[in-house]
Amino acid sequence: MKMKPSNQKGVCLLLNLGGFETRMDENLEIAQGLGKVLYSLTGDGLVKVEAGAHIVPVNVLSLTPAELFVWSSLINEQLQAEGFTPDDAVILAAGKKYRGTLPLGTAISKGLTLGA
């Protein structure tokens, strides 16, 4: 039986930095230890990751500043509607050469924050 960390958050958001899908299974396993509920940050907003459903997050590095602004606003609205608070959420950002966690409210572009 896998033990969940005591500092597990209520929600983990999956953020693609280009190449997330190359290590999809690893990324999902890590995310499950970080948050009780997983959401993929897709082009259409938050999509809940159910058991067996591998929904690749949108590559935020491919978005224009205008698209990123609209997308970030949509994500913020959806997070608030779901009742998530910044202190009970974490972002797993992953790409081909990087994987790490970011707190909700991290600036993802000049003047844009996610979940703040």
Side-chain angles (χ1 to χ4, degrees), residues 32 48-54:
Q32 289 169 343
K48 192 172 186 177
V49 177
E50 301 291 342
H54 295 0

Side-chain angles (χ1 to χ4, degrees), residues 42-43 58-69 71-72 108-109:
T42 70
V58 68
N59 180 349
V60 295
L61 302 177
S62 69
L63 299 176
T64 66
E67 289 172 329
L68 195 55
F69 182 78
W71 178 81
S72 180
I108 55 175
S109 180

Side-chain angles (χ1 to χ4, degrees), residues 9-14 31 34-40 89-92:
K9 301 284 187 173
V11 64
C12 179
L13 307 174
L14 306 177
L34 294 171
K36 295 174 186 169
V37 179
L38 305 182
Y39 282 97
S40 182
V90 65
I91 299 169
L92 176 65

Side-chain angles (χ1 to χ4, degrees), residues 7-11 83-90 103-105 115:
N7 60 348
Q8 186 182 38
K9 301 284 187 173
V11 64
F84 294 116
T85 60
D87 62 337
D88 199 30
V90 65
L104 205 58

